[in-house]
Amino acid sequence: GWEEWGLGDPNINQVQLCVHVSTRTCRDFDQLSQRLSKRYRLVDPDMVGRGHSDWLIDPSAYAIPPYVAEMLVIIARLRQERLDWV
């Protein structure tokens, strides 16, 4: 899952993807996202196994390649030509 901010204004086409480290959650970006939501569309995902995301069946799958794959899926779903990564 993820949280999105700044969706109410159709003129916002700058996207910031705010990704936490593996032991945190998307809630880490609430204050930042709230402040920047008038200028940007912010997407704050929960990495797999954190926050609102599902747990993996195989604990050994918590590694960089699945995290990268998850981010590629999110980026594809956003359909943006450009985004900034925080």
Side-chain angles (χ1 to χ4, degrees), residues 6-13 37-38:
L7 296 177
D9 185 346
N11 297 317
I12 297 175
N13 59 7
S37 65
K38 290 182 170 63

Side-chain angles (χ1 to χ4, degrees), residues 4-86:
E4 289 194 57
W5 302 77
L7 296 177
D9 185 346
N11 297 317
I12 297 175
N13 59 7
Q14 290 182 293
V15 175
Q16 299 245 343
L17 184 62
C18 302
V19 183
H20 61 84
V21 294
S22 63
T23 60
R24 305 295 303 182
T25 74
C26 73
R27 308 291 2 169
D28 291 348
F29 294 101
D30 282 357
Q31 285 185 325
L32 175 69
S33 295
Q34 187 174 22
R35 285 190 70 165
L36 296 178
S37 65
K38 290 182 170 63
R39 294 180 17 214
Y40 301 97
R41 175 182 175 200
L42 292 106
V43 178
D44 307 348
D46 271 325
M47 299 301 288
V48 66
R50 303 286 180 235
H52 297 291
S53 290
D54 293 332
W55 290 89
L56 295 175
I57 294 170
D58 178 6
S60 68
Y62 290 102
I64 299 298
Y67 296 148
V68 171
E70 185 177 6
M71 290 300 98
L72 291 174
V73 168
I74 290 172
I75 290 168
R77 291 175 80 186
L78 292 173
R79 297 181 182 188
Q80 294 294 313
E81 186 174 309
R82 179 178 180 262
L83 59 81
D84 295 316
W85 188 288
V86 176

